[in-house]
Amino acid sequence: MTGSNLIVIMSDEHQARAMGCAGHPFVQTPNLDALAARGVRFGDAYTPSPICVPARAAFASGRYVHVNRLWDNAMPYTGDPKGWGHALQAKGIPVESIGKLHYRSDEDPAGFDVEHIPMQVADGVGMVWASIRREEERVSPRSRMLGDYIGPGNSKYTDYDAKVTARTAQWLQERAAGDDDRPWCLYVGLVAPHFPLVVPQEYYDLYPLEDLPKVKLHPSQGYQRHPWVEKQNAMMNSEANFRDPEERLRAIAAYYGLCTWLDHNVGQILSALEAAGFDNNTTVIYTSDHGDNVGARGLWGKSNLYQESVSVPLIMAGPGIAPGLCETPVSLLDVAATIPDHFGADFAGDGVSLHDIAAAPADPDRPVLSEYHAAGAVSGAFMLRKGRWKLNRYVGFPSELFDLEADPEEATDLAADPAHAGTLAMMEDAMRTIVDPEAADAQAFADQAAMIARYGGREAALKLGAPAATPPPEV
């Protein structure tokens, strides 16, 4: 694939289903739909970890979370281990970033020649307090995770996304006007639809409260959450913190409005790409770092292994890419492998290039792993997708087994059904070829305890980093 440019756009917290091209019944994403129509959409794409910092560190390095040992939102990427950006630099490919990275610091050699208006973890340390995970020791944040105000308006995040989009258009114009004709790689990090759930009025108005459908599997309707999920959610129970039922509906409308706001910004970037004359020689990859539950099961944000949280949108379009739907399961580790492969650069990671996956016959049995060791988790949680089956493995708790072909909404847990004992054992064995859950869980707790000790202990750690969502830079 050498000879063409590559632009990678990564949003934050975009549920894979929340696109028209993914079959969502009402969300409006015309620009992403158009991109998918001329490219390949990966219908089963997953995050390496359903929370921002470890997902992005795994993406940067191309390595599983348990390999990186960057477990949570207080363990950001510093450039070690070297990742796809370093592979491009070694080959002399210009590689720059604009917008959200969620790495440690602008000063770290993270694999970019230039980082434009980067958003990094708070104070270079992130949410250290959330690394204290044992149930008897952890604390809950003092503020609401979803924000003090929910509804129409502007936030620092929407303002930041507008500036990232404008800077990207400027970058493309400047690149087109320059005399450097080498193929280039540009990474663009947008924040929407990440909370706070505040969105410009015109996008909020697209989703009238009276038209919103009821969320699935809500506890008020008799659904009982898995005990691991119940404990994880108890740390930041957003559902219990809505001021009234209407505010909860406003949260749903604002989330979908932010999806359309995100789509608008993607459209602006793609228009700028065309205006700069790069549309015919540039491959575009769009994805997100993880999803969002948006009220399903009474859950908000990410941080669990259900499809709403762990599945991500993934579209790739450009020269030589045949349009269609790829049904082979993939992850952000495969996106990490795709970037150096696109330029013919040497890279050793845990993923496979999407170019190769899309060109090969569909392989629905390809295993994909995700894992969670961060805020609220009283033990490690591991997901394996393989064929029609999905295993959620919780250390110290019962597993969940879902048949996504017959039960795409994950309403029926089959793990305790004797008729599926063979499938459960097969999935457990398949997971253990990639990771030992108990060993990884013990390593995560040990690494987090060592970090807390380096910061001076529990009381010192509770004062470090942002209390909730990371503040954007002043730009």
Side-chain angles (χ1 to χ4, degrees), residues 22-212:
H24 197 280
F26 60 81
V27 72
Q28 299 181 39
T29 54
N31 296 295
L32 290 171
D33 297 350
L35 185 68
R38 65 179 177 89
V40 58
R41 184 173 70 84
F42 296 84
D44 281 305
Y46 293 90
T47 179
S49 183
I51 193 169
C52 297
V53 175
R56 290 165 180 271
F59 167 66
S61 65
R63 298 290 190 181
Y64 291 117
V65 172
H66 65 272
V67 175
N68 276 341
R69 292 168 57 183
L70 300 174
W71 305 102
D72 61 28
N73 274 5
M75 296 184 175
Y77 186 63
T78 64
D80 181 27
K82 292 187 181 300
W84 54 261
H86 303 95
L88 299 194
Q89 289 178 320
K91 195 173 175 64
I93 303 297
V95 53
E96 300 186 21
S97 74
I98 304 175
K100 181 171 182 175
L101 290 172
H102 235 188
Y103 298 169
R104 189 192 74 91
S105 170
D106 309 354
E107 301 171 356
D108 292 331
F112 295 109
D113 301 337
V114 183
E115 296 175 0
H116 302 271
I117 55 174
M119 179 177 165
Q120 311 285 29
V121 300
D123 305 323
V125 298
M127 294 169 57
V128 180
W129 60 272
S131 303
I132 303 169
R133 295 194 286 124
R134 298 191 188 279
E135 190 172 10
E136 67 277 10
E137 298 178 352
R138 68 184 188 177
V139 298
S140 295
R142 292 184 296 273
S143 58
R144 295 199 308 177
M145 181 180 74
L146 301 182
D148 290 334
Y149 167 75
I150 293 172
N154 291 314
S155 72
K156 289 184 177 180
Y157 275 8
T158 55
D159 292 344
Y160 178 63
D161 271 355
K163 291 172 182 176
V164 169
T165 300
R167 183 67 187 92
T168 302
Q170 179 186 357
W171 189 97
L172 292 166
Q173 293 170 356
E174 292 171 350
R175 188 78 196 179
D179 55 7
D180 186 348
D181 59 359
R182 292 176 297 169
W184 48 261
C185 179
L186 178 65
Y187 168 88
V188 179
L190 297 169
V191 184
H194 192 288
F195 51 85
L197 296 177
V198 179
V199 65
Q201 185 81 50
E202 63 180 293
Y203 300 96
Y204 179 82
D205 288 344
L206 295 173
Y207 303 98
L209 303 190
E210 61 271 18
D211 293 342
L212 296 174

Side-chain angles (χ1 to χ4, degrees), residues 443-464:
Q443 187 68 67
F445 273 109
D447 289 347
Q448 288 162 330
M451 178 185 65
I452 297 300
R454 289 196 303 272
Y455 283 125
R458 182 178 184 276
E459 294 308 312
L462 291 176
K463 302 174 184 177
L464 294 174

Side-chain angles (χ1 to χ4, degrees), residues 318-404:
I321 296 173
L325 174 66
C326 180
E327 298 183 77
T328 300
V330 296
S331 88
L332 294 183
L333 302 183
D334 300 315
V335 181
T338 305
I339 300 170
D341 176 65
H342 182 89
F343 295 99
D346 293 333
F347 183 69
D350 291 319
V352 175
S353 172
L354 296 176
H355 291 300
D356 295 337
I357 293 172
D363 180 12
D365 286 329
R366 181 177 188 247
V368 171
L369 178 81
S370 186
E371 57 191 294
Y372 186 81
H373 310 270
V378 296
S379 68
F382 302 81
M383 179 220 80
L384 188 77
R385 173 68 192 275
K386 180 176 171 61
R388 67 191 295 170
W389 304 105
K390 180 178 173 185
L391 170 67
N392 294 344
R393 171 79 159 79
Y394 307 98
V395 175
F397 294 82
S399 295
E400 292 177 302
L401 178 69
F402 297 105
D403 179 353
L404 293 185

Side-chain angles (χ1 to χ4, degrees), residues 257-286:
L258 283 166
C259 290
T260 304
W261 161 250
L262 156 71
D263 182 82
H264 165 76
N265 288 322
V266 171
Q268 295 290 104
I269 291 169
L270 296 179
S271 294
L273 192 73
E274 181 178 4
F278 289 129
D279 53 317
N280 291 322
N281 67 345
T282 302
T283 294
V284 178
I285 296 176
Y286 169 73

